[in-house]
Amino acid sequence: MRYRTCRIGVHGRNDHVFTDDDFRVIRESGVEAVKMMSQTEPAVFRQIKEINPDIEIITRLYDDRIGHGHPTPAEFVERMAPVMAALQPYCAKYQIANEPNHVQRYEGWGPDGADARDFNQWFLETYRLLKQACPWASLGFPGLAIPDFAHRDRAWLEICRPAIERADWLGVHCYWQTPPDQPSVMLDEHFGLTFKHYHRQYPDKTLEILECGNSNVHNPQWPISEDDIAREYVAWLQEVFSHAYINSASFFLLSSPDQASWDFFSWRTENNFVKPVVHAIGRMHRPRANRLRARRRPCSRRPHKQRLRCRTPSPTTRSSTPFYDASVKLGLGDWTLLEKAGLSLGELVKDRNGRYASAPVTQIAALSEDERQAVLAELADFAAGVSFGPPSDKPQGWRGSVPTGLGVRPSMPPQPA
């Protein structure tokens, strides 16, 4: 797989304003999309676009009257149209509502068929009125709460077919959990790869993964390290990149003033600690994008092929470091690529100053094209003296697997308007 359409994203801070640390995380992670909340001040949107004008912003239209009930379409549009007009310089995509099928019913509806039929009609009328008020806007059907056994998202997908077909795109939520002693459902179609079912139902719709991530916090008996979560996110993205119908995937959550509820998901803490996922996402291997300009490291502005022809270091045993870094960025085991290339770390360690005597990287048939390109890119950076921080910054190992019984991830609670 040489190309991708999916933008790497993060769900923005669920607050009116961002802090300097939030903008720092956006810069250092190199995210290409940010999922925003409509109550966030327009100045925040402007600053995000100043960091990277190519970042795509998708905004959830948040109405605090949606709880165990909801406003009429006309009431909703009356409040949201002015907000969208203010955000027009920065954002063209909007998500109408959020997880309306949630079993707890605090998103205005619930999981039952009657709820789905009511939301279908509500969405159709809301879409019509919003298009009249803001014809320039791209309006999406919201991500539904998962898993199906709790929230009946798959029944909703069928009942709401008229609304989904009318929508400009389809939102998806993908969550998974990883127990310490069972295979992961990260790559299961009811959890981490939910989008596959959505695509089969609506093959002509572009998908936006509006929320995604590990939710082990809802099963306290399944602790998981921050390093392991970072590993999972890199590995999960490599799978997502292979599906050309996905435009973006935004991990939940950049940060939150409500640490009691959202510290587990946040990419930084409120005392300014940046979690390993930020560094892992920032330095991971990114296949070239065919619909967006992929973020490049500051070490080179030259075309990709030229960059790979940069002078490489004398191939001493230190060349094992690029194999290690490439393996990490592809979400593989620490020394997987080294071993796959037929090299022995033990033998290399015996002679730390010895010269590399195996085949050139471009001729190692056991490596895939993506793997060769990842190693070559690391060799180029290694030669240029690029540093990604001390070894302690690197994600260390991950338990790439998940559960049979999942706790239900609650939707984001209402925020002040």
Side-chain angles (χ1 to χ4, degrees), residues 2-41:
R2 303 284 299 278
Y3 299 95
R4 64 185 168 103
T5 59
C6 180
R7 296 173 183 257
I8 302 169
V10 66
H11 189 301
R13 180 177 177 84
N14 58 342
D15 198 4
H16 295 275
V17 297
F18 282 27
T19 71
D20 288 343
D21 289 296
D22 293 312
F23 296 120
R24 172 192 169 196
V25 168
I26 289 173
R27 284 192 300 269
E28 293 186 359
S29 63
V31 291
E32 302 149 339
V34 182
K35 157 78 179 298
M36 296 290 287
M37 302 285 285
S38 62
Q39 76 267 34
T40 303
E41 295 178 1

Side-chain angles (χ1 to χ4, degrees), residues 88-101:
Q88 185 178 1
Y90 320 110
C91 176
K93 282 186 178 178
Y94 296 86
Q95 167 192 345
I96 300 176
N98 184 67
E99 293 191 344
N101 65 318

Side-chain angles (χ1 to χ4, degrees), residues 38 40-46 59 79-92 94 134 136:
S38 62
T40 303
E41 295 178 1
V44 174
F45 289 72
R46 183 181 68 248
T59 301
R79 178 176 290 188
M80 293 301 143
V83 174
M84 294 167 64
L87 296 177
Q88 185 178 1
Y90 320 110
C91 176
Y94 296 86
C134 304
W136 49 269

